[in-house]
């Protein structure tokens, strides 16, 4: 499933010829290019700063923050890939090889990164659910190993899950009779076997959609309310048992609360922005003829653009929702400025020999 579906491409090769005219391609390429500019200015800066804070701040280097750190990096890669795809899109309709570049960037690499991002949201949600609701605690070194294994599984699953996008894609061409210009476009391969056609045209995209979108959406929607409720109960019970809380308990509560704020923010954005596009994509795969309707194509394009914002706004929302994140950003920036802009000159101490030596 291409979770950042290209609005200028048709999901099947059975649409009417008018769907592939240069005029239509130009219109949707213009929309995609403008969207790319917005993401370039808004998402690239935000995700870049998000990666900077997450990976340089000592405050955000503990425990389950590892998932959020990886999420920041993957979201940054989604935006970079999306921009590179839009840059190549201008040439893709005129160049056969740039069309293959577009297939790899948009229908595979972008889909892999989007899938990883969505599954990371689910992973950190499950991690918090086990910790808060079931009080499953793992030793620090073992927790790090488990986290790395989970991230590796997510990456491998995303790579394999989206291979069908490459295997089922090919390049078609359209000749403008008026100008005798050849235009190239993406289309699905024509399979001789009905079983292969069913798998690549319907089963594989829907399976990818379910695993990369619907399962994370359902999991995040169901588990987050339980996490919030359990967290409140845990805080209330601790206050009753410890009228004078120790510094260790207070530190644990603060870290749990900070992580909960970041998780809730990322989860809410994910559900609100991704759900409409996932439903639209599902309908489009079940009834592909709908994509020939100009109104539906516009709606689907708008939903796709909204979904892309899911990978661009986390830094800004973290900054608004969490004072702890703002402090982490401030400290990380100060440390960067101190170490790189004004590096400390090493002090060389010379040994002073006694006068009678």
């Amino acid at each position: 499933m291409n979770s950042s579906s290209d609005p200028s491409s048709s999901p099947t090769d059975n649409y009417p010829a008018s769907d592939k005219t240069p005029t239509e391609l130009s219109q949707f390429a213009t929309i995609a290019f403008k969207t790319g500019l917005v993401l370039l200015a808004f998402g690239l800066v935000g995700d870049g700063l998000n990666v900077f804070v997450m990976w340089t701040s000592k405050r955000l280097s503990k425990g389950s923050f590892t998932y959020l750190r990886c999420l920041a990096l993957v979201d940054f890669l989604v935006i970079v890939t999306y921009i590179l795809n839009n840059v190549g899109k201008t040439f893709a309709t005129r160049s056969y090889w740039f069309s293959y570049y577009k297939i790899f960037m948009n229908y595979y690499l972008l889909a892999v990164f989007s899938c990883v991002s969505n599954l990371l949201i689910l992973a950190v949600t499950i991690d918090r659910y086990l910790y808060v609701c079931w009080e499953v605690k793992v030793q620090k070194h073992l927790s790090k190993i488990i986290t790395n294994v989970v991230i590796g599984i997510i990456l491998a699953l995303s790579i394999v899950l989206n291979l069908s996008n490459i295997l089922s894609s090919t390049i078609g061409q359209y000749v403008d009779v008026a100008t005798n210009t050849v235009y190239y476009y993406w289309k699905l391969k024509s399979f001789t076997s009905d079983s292969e056609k069913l798998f690549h045209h319907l089963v594989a995209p829907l399976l990818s959609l379910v695993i990369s979108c619907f399962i994370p959406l359902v999991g995040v929607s169901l588990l987050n309310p339980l996490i919030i409720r359990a967290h409140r109960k845990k805080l209330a019970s601790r206050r009753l048992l410890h009228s004078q809380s120790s510094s260790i308990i207070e530190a644990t509560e603060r870290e749990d609360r900070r992580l909960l704020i970041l998780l809730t923010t990322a989860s809410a954005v994910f559900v609100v922005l991704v759900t409409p596009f996932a439903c639209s994509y599902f309908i489009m795969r079940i009834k592909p003829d709908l994509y020939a309707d100009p109104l539906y194509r516009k709606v689907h394009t708008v939903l796709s653009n909204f979904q892309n914002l899911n990978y661009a706004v986390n830094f800004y929302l973290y900054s608004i929702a969490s004072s702890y994140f703002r402090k982490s950003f401030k400290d990380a920036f100060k440390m960067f400025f101190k170490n790189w802009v004004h590096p400390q000159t090493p002090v060389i101490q010379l040994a002073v020999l006694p006068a009678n030596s």
Side-chain angles (χ1 to χ4, degrees):
M1 174 251 175
N2 178 12
S3 62
S4 187
S5 183
D6 176 18
S8 69
S9 304
S10 55
T12 180
D13 54 352
N14 295 324
Y15 289 141
S18 60
D19 182 44
K20 305 181 179 71
T21 61
T23 303
E24 285 290 313
L25 289 172
S26 177
Q27 290 175 352
F28 280 94
T30 302
I31 295 174
F33 181 72
K34 291 180 179 179
T35 304
L37 289 179
V38 173
L39 291 175
L40 175 62
F42 188 75
L44 193 63
V45 173
D47 283 343
L49 291 174
N50 201 20
V51 171
F52 170 72
V53 178
M54 288 287 185
W55 287 87
T56 58
S57 174
K58 294 181 179 179
R59 296 171 180 260
L60 303 175
S61 61
K62 302 176 183 178
S64 297
F65 283 109
T66 303
Y67 288 113
L68 293 179
R69 293 170 70 197
C70 292
L71 178 65
L73 179 60
V74 172
D75 284 351
F76 178 75
L77 292 176
V78 169
I79 295 298
V80 170
T81 308
Y82 182 84
I83 292 170
L84 291 176
N85 172 62
N86 276 309
V87 169
K89 190 177 300 181
T90 305
F91 308 97
T93 57
R94 299 292 185 91
S95 170
Y96 181 83
W97 294 110
F98 265 107
S99 295
Y100 269 109
Y101 159 86
K102 177 183 173 182
I103 285 179
F104 178 75
M105 296 297 290
N106 188 55
Y107 293 99
Y108 185 67
L109 200 59
L110 189 57
V112 168
F113 289 146
S114 301
C115 183
V116 172
S117 177
N118 297 347
L119 292 177
L120 281 174
I121 292 275
L122 178 63
V124 69
T125 302
I126 294 175
D127 179 83
R128 286 290 88 193
Y129 174 76
L130 294 176
Y131 177 79
V132 176
C133 298
W134 294 93
E135 298 187 355
V136 176
K137 298 180 181 179
V138 184
Q139 294 181 355
K140 186 176 181 180
H141 70 282
L142 186 59
S143 175
K144 186 176 182 180
I145 294 175
I146 293 175
T147 301
N148 292 335
V149 169
V150 170
I151 293 173
I153 292 174
I154 288 175
L155 179 59
L157 177 62
S158 301
I159 291 173
V160 173
L161 196 62
N162 291 283
L163 282 176
S164 177
N165 292 346
I166 293 293
L167 298 176
S168 62
S169 298
T170 187
I171 301 296
Q173 66 179 27
Y174 168 85
V175 179
D176 189 348
V177 180
T179 61
N180 200 30
T181 303
V182 179
Y183 295 90
Y184 299 96
Y185 61 92
W186 167 88
K187 72 172 186 176
L188 288 174
K189 289 182 180 178
S190 299
F191 297 96
T192 56
S193 171
D194 290 339
S195 58
E196 286 184 336
K197 184 175 181 180
L198 179 65
F199 176 79
H200 288 289
H201 289 202
L202 186 63
V203 175
L206 290 182
L207 179 63
S208 178
L209 177 66
V210 169
I211 294 177
S212 64
C213 276
F214 283 120
I215 290 180
L217 285 170
V218 172
V220 167
S221 301
L222 293 179
L223 295 181
N224 268 286
L226 300 178
I227 294 172
I228 295 173
R229 186 174 63 180
H231 180 74
R232 290 176 178 175
K233 288 184 178 180
K234 182 181 287 188
L235 288 179
S237 62
R238 283 177 180 174
R239 289 166 184 167
L240 290 175
L241 293 175
H242 305 278
S243 56
Q244 295 180 347
S245 300
S246 66
S247 59
I248 297 178
I249 294 177
E250 290 178 351
T252 303
E253 289 180 354
R254 284 196 299 271
E255 184 174 348
D256 290 347
R257 185 165 53 250
R258 291 159 182 165
L259 183 57
L260 180 64
I261 292 174
L262 296 182
L263 171 61
T264 304
T265 303
S267 300
V269 172
F270 171 66
V271 172
V272 171
L273 295 180
V274 175
T275 300
F277 172 79
C279 294
S280 174
Y281 189 88
F282 178 80
I283 295 173
M284 183 177 65
R285 281 294 177 178
I286 298 299
K287 296 182 178 180
D289 291 340
L290 283 175
Y291 202 72
D293 184 359
L295 178 61
Y296 180 82
R297 295 185 67 175
K298 292 179 181 179
V299 171
H300 184 74
T301 302
V302 170
L303 296 180
S304 176
N305 293 338
F306 271 109
Q307 186 231 204
N308 290 331
L309 289 177
N310 172 62
Y311 309 108
V313 298
N314 279 341
F315 170 79
Y316 305 103
L317 295 178
Y318 289 166
S319 300
I320 295 173
S322 174
S323 60
Y324 185 73
F325 184 84
R326 293 193 295 271
K327 291 178 182 177
S328 300
F329 173 71
K330 184 178 179 181
D331 293 344
F333 185 81
K334 285 183 177 179
M335 186 61 64
F336 172 81
F337 185 82
K338 181 179 179 181
N339 293 338
W340 293 95
V341 180
H342 292 295
Q344 294 182 353
T345 304
V347 179
I348 302 176
Q349 295 182 350
L350 299 177
V352 180
L353 297 177
N356 57 357
S357 60

